[in-house]
Amino acid sequence: MAELVYVYKSRRKARTYLYLKEKDAFSTVPSGLMDAFGAPHFVMVFALEKRRELPKVKIEDLRLALNDKGYFLRIDLEEEEENLLNVERARHGLPPLEKERIDAFFH
C-alpha cells in the first residue's frame, strides 16, 4: 500500500507548510503549533515512495518526522531573506543580487 503524504498550507504564516501522514490528522500536531499555523488549507497529496526528491525537503527527514511525530513542519525562509537583502540593496541604489550570490551571504 502506498505511503501517502498530505500537505497543508498555513493561511496565517507565509511560506509555511504542514505535512501529515493521514488526511486531516491534526491531533498529532501540538496545539501551540496549530494555533500559530492557523486554519490549514489543503494543498496536495502524493505517494512518498514515488518521489526521489522533493523541493526544499529531504525525503529521509520527512519520512522520519512522519513516523516519529506524525507531522513535518516546513517553513521557507530563504525567499524572505533574499527579498529583504535585495530590498535593502535597492534602498541604497544598488542592483539586486542573483540567488547564487545571496546564498554565499548565508553560508
Side-chain angles (χ1 to χ4, degrees):
M1 188 166 150
E3 184 179 4
L4 299 178
V5 178
Y6 301 87
V7 183
Y8 298 83
K9 181 178 181 177
S10 173
R11 294 177 189 209
R12 186 177 291 166
K13 301 282 185 183
R15 296 178 298 278
T16 303
Y17 302 88
L18 191 59
Y19 295 66
L20 300 176
K21 65 185 208 174
E22 294 180 32
K23 186 164 177 52
D24 300 331
F26 300 106
S27 62
T28 61
V29 183
S31 61
L33 176 57
M34 283 308 300
D35 289 344
F37 192 82
H41 174 70
F42 180 74
V43 177
M44 67 183 281
V45 61
F46 64 89
L48 190 55
E49 67 273 356
K50 296 200 180 214
R51 299 291 183 117
R52 291 182 191 214
E53 61 182 45
L54 293 168
K56 302 182 183 186
V57 177
K58 292 180 182 175
I59 289 183
E60 192 54 35
D61 292 346
L62 175 60
R63 183 174 276 121
L64 285 172
L66 291 174
N67 289 330
D68 291 348
K69 301 184 293 186
Y71 71 94
F72 178 85
L73 179 67
R74 181 181 119 205
I75 303 172
D76 296 339
L77 297 177
E78 55 275 349
E79 289 179 23
E80 186 173 330
E81 290 168 348
E82 175 184 338
N83 201 10
L84 291 175
L85 182 58
N86 279 330
V87 166
E88 188 64 16
R89 288 182 60 83
R91 193 171 75 80
H92 292 284
L94 299 170
L97 294 175
E98 299 84 27
K99 181 156 178 46
E100 295 78 29
R101 296 240 3 245
I102 292 170
D103 286 344
F105 282 101
F106 298 102
H107 298 284

